[in-house]
Amino acid sequence: LDRMKVHFEEKVGKDWAEKGLLNLPCCFDESSQGIALGKILFLHDLLVGFGMYEFCKDRYTGLETTQWTTKWDNKKSFEENVKKVSFGDTGR
């Protein structure tokens, strides 16, 4: 486990490895505009840190086909859009 942590820190930087995903808004926060930023950056970390391309690709494809992307209507407010999707993984 220690070797994996050191390898990850070498790839993404110690500061990012320790604090990069802290205090990110989830997809239910209006500032994120419904985007699961934490989930996307987590996948980025796995790809850069460990080269997990297929795993990340599969998970990102799942994000592209969620209710957030298929039911989102740019003509409606953020609150209206959030009401019509079910709660699930918030990307935190």
Side-chain angles (χ1 to χ4, degrees):
L1 190 59
D2 287 335
R3 289 188 313 168
M4 290 179 71
K5 182 180 177 184
V6 169
H7 176 79
F8 183 66
E9 288 176 354
E10 288 173 356
K11 294 291 185 179
V12 300
K14 186 172 175 68
D15 192 48
W16 178 259
E18 292 177 356
K19 302 174 191 170
L21 297 177
L22 295 178
N23 300 317
L24 290 174
C26 79
C27 55
F28 295 108
D29 296 331
E30 190 168 358
S31 64
S32 73
Q33 298 179 358
I35 298 169
L37 298 171
K39 179 75 74 174
I40 293 168
L41 290 172
F42 171 71
L43 294 174
H44 171 268
D45 287 354
L46 292 178
L47 180 61
V48 172
F50 304 109
M52 299 174 67
Y53 176 78
E54 290 297 325
F55 178 88
C56 295
K57 180 181 165 196
D58 290 344
R59 298 317 176 276
Y60 189 81
T61 300
L63 284 174
E64 292 179 316
T65 58
T66 65
Q67 294 181 56
W68 288 97
T69 56
T70 58
K71 293 184 177 181
W72 196 269
D73 184 352
N74 288 327
K75 295 176 185 167
K76 294 185 177 182
S77 71
F78 179 82
E79 290 80 18
E80 291 173 302
N81 278 302
V82 168
K83 285 180 186 176
K84 66 181 179 180
V85 296
S86 66
F87 290 86
D89 186 348
T90 60
R92 281 198 173 161

